[in-house]
C-alpha cells in the first residue's frame, strides 16, 4: 500500500444498458480507514456503482483501481481476491446454522485423519476460531453456538458484517448495502459501533444507506448520486442534512460537479 493512495478508486465509470445510462462518468474514491456514505434516491445509480465495486457488473467504460493497482473484475470472486467484501441486504446467512457455522461458511475446518477425509467438520475448532474472530472485532452478540434464527435483526447484521470482515486482508474494503434497513434504534447502534471499530482498524468502508442519521454518525465523507451523475462529494461534518437532502432530491448540486441534464433517462 502506497501512502496517500486511495484504497479503492473508480475513474469515470459509466454503465449503459442500451440507450439507458445507469452511471455516467462517475469518479469515486475511498481512503484506507475511511467510511464513505454513498447516497441517492431510488434509481440514482448507487446500487449499480456498488455492483461495479463488488464485481457483479462490469462497467461499460472507466477504470477500477485497488490500492493504486488497476483491476478488471469479471466476478465477485475477482473482487474478493483484490480484498473487497460485500454485505448484501439479505445478509446470506443460514438461519438453521449457529453463529460459528455461519462465520466459517465456505472455509470450514475438517477433522484430522480419516474422518476429515470423509468431510467431517472439526466443530470445536470452528467455534474456537469464530470466537477469536469476534473477539478481535470486539463483537459481543451472543454465544457462537446460538442458531442465527434466534438472533435479533441487529445481531444478524453484525454477524454478516463480522463474517465479511474476517475474510478481508489488512486494509481491505467492505461494501455495505443498507445495513440498518428495518432495524430499531438500539439494533442500529450495534451496527454503527461495528462500522466505526472496523474503520479504526484500517478497513475502508462504503456505506449505501437511506438512513441519514447513520451516515452523519459514522461517515467521514458523503457522495451523492442523482440520475447516474455524481452531484456531491464532501466531508460529512461540513454540511447539514437539509443540504444533503437537496442533493439527493436534485434541488441543488455541489458547485463544480455536473448537474443531470433534463430529459436524461432515469438511472437504474
Amino acid at each position: 500500500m502506497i501512502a496517500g493512495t486511495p484504497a479503492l478508486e473508480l475513474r469515470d465509470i459509466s454503465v449503459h444498458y442500451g440507450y439507458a445510462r445507469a452511471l455516467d462518468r462517475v469518479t469515486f474514491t475511498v481512503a484506507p480507514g475511511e467510511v464513505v456514505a454513498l447516497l441517492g434516491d431510488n434509481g440514482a445509480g448507487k446500487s449499480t456503482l456498488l455492483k461495479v465495486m463488488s464485481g457483479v457488473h462490469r462497467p461499460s467504460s472507466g477504470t477500477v483501481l485497488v490500492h493504486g493497482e488497476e483491476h478488471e473484475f469479471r466476478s465477485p470472486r475477482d473482487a474478493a481476491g483484490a480484498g473487497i467484501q460485500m454485505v448484501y441486504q439479505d445478509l446470506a446467512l443460514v438461519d438453521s446454522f449457529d453463529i460459528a457455522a455461519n462465520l466459517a461458511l465456505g472455509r470450514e475446518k475438517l477433522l484430522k485423519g480419516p474422518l476429515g477425509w470423509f468431510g467431517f467438520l472439526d466443530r470445536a475448532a470452528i467455534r474456537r476460531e469464530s470466537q477469536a474472530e469476534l473477539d478481535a472485532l470486539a463483537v459481543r452478540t451472543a454465544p457462537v453456538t446460538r442458531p442465527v434464527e434466534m438472533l435479533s435483526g441487529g445481531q444478524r447484521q453484525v454477524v454478516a458484517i463480522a463474517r465479511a470482515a474476517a475474510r478481508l486482508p489488512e486494509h481491505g474494503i467492505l461494501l455495505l448495502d443498507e445495513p440498518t434497513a428495518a432495524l430499531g434504534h438500539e439494533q442500529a447502534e450495534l451496527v454503527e459501533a461495528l462500522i466505526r471499530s472496523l474503520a479504526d482498524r484500517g478497513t475502508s468502508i462504503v456505506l449505501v444507506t437511506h438512513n441519514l442519521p447513520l451516515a452523519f454518525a459514522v461517515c467521514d465523507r458523503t457522495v451523492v448520486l442523482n440520475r447516474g451523475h455524481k452531484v456531491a462529494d464532501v466531508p460529512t461534518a461540513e454540511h447539514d442534512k437539509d443540504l444533503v437532502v437537496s442533493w439527493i432530491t436534485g434541488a441543488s448540486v455541489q458547485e463544480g460537479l455536473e448537474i443531470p441534464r433534463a430529459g436524461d433517462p432515469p438511472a437504474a
Side-chain angles (χ1 to χ4, degrees), residues 196-209:
R196 286 309 326 170
S197 173
L198 288 169
D200 290 342
R201 289 160 48 96
T203 302
S204 304
I205 300 174
V206 179
L207 173 64
V208 169
T209 183

Side-chain angles (χ1 to χ4, degrees), residues 233-254:
D233 188 343
V234 296
T236 303
E238 296 180 7
H239 298 80
D240 61 28
K241 294 177 184 177
D242 289 340
L243 185 54
V244 172
V245 169
S246 74
W247 290 327
I248 292 172
T249 60
S252 65
V253 61
Q254 185 194 357

Side-chain angles (χ1 to χ4, degrees), residues 55-256:
V56 175
H57 286 346
R58 295 179 66 185
S60 304
S61 62
T63 305
V64 177
L65 299 98
V66 180
H67 296 299
E69 182 179 346
E70 185 173 338
H71 287 263
E72 184 176 346
F73 299 148
R74 297 179 181 274
S75 69
R77 184 185 296 271
D78 291 344
I84 300 173
Q85 289 285 332
M86 171 85 176
V87 180
Y88 294 94
Q89 280 185 273
D90 64 7
L91 304 183
L93 298 175
V94 182
D95 286 350
S96 59
F97 287 8
D98 61 23
I99 292 174
N102 271 280
L103 288 175
L105 202 62
R107 52 192 182 107
E108 296 87 350
K109 293 186 71 68
L110 300 178
L111 289 168
K112 296 179 180 179
L115 290 177
W117 302 343
F118 289 98
F120 284 83
L121 301 181
D122 188 342
R123 299 188 185 279
I126 289 172
R127 288 168 180 167
R128 284 195 304 271
E129 291 188 6
S130 297
Q131 187 62 62
E133 289 171 352
L134 294 176
D135 290 343
L137 296 172
V139 170
R140 301 288 185 270
T141 54
V144 294
T145 55
R146 182 168 298 175
V148 164
E149 61 192 357
M150 296 179 62
L151 301 180
S152 69
Q155 289 173 321
R156 289 172 185 239
Q157 186 65 253
V158 165
V159 169
I161 295 173
R163 181 177 64 185
R167 302 178 187 207
L168 287 173
E170 186 178 8
H171 303 296
I173 299 147
L174 183 62
L175 312 177
L176 302 178
D177 188 8
E178 297 288 359
T180 60
L183 297 186
H185 177 70
E186 291 185 3
Q187 295 178 338
E189 285 186 332
L190 289 174
V191 177
E192 178 182 323
L194 181 53
I195 291 172
R196 286 309 326 170
S197 173
L198 288 169
D200 290 342
R201 289 160 48 96
T203 302
S204 304
I205 300 174
V206 179
L207 173 64
V208 169
T209 183
H210 283 93
N211 185 340
L212 286 185
L214 173 68
F216 273 81
V218 303
C219 295
D220 304 298
R221 191 158 47 85
T222 295
V223 174
V224 180
L225 299 182
N226 188 296
R227 298 172 64 85
H229 299 253
K230 186 170 75 171
V231 297
D233 188 343
V234 296
T236 303
E238 296 180 7
H239 298 80
D240 61 28
K241 294 177 184 177
D242 289 340
L243 185 54
V244 172
V245 169
S246 74
W247 290 327
I248 292 172
T249 60
S252 65
V253 61
Q254 185 194 357
E255 184 179 353

Side-chain angles (χ1 to χ4, degrees), residues 10 13 15 23 47-59 64 73 79:
L10 283 71
I13 294 294
V15 176
L23 295 171
S47 293
T48 301
L49 189 61
L50 206 62
K51 289 176 180 177
V52 170
M53 298 178 197
S54 63
V56 175
H57 286 346
R58 295 179 66 185
V64 177
F73 299 148

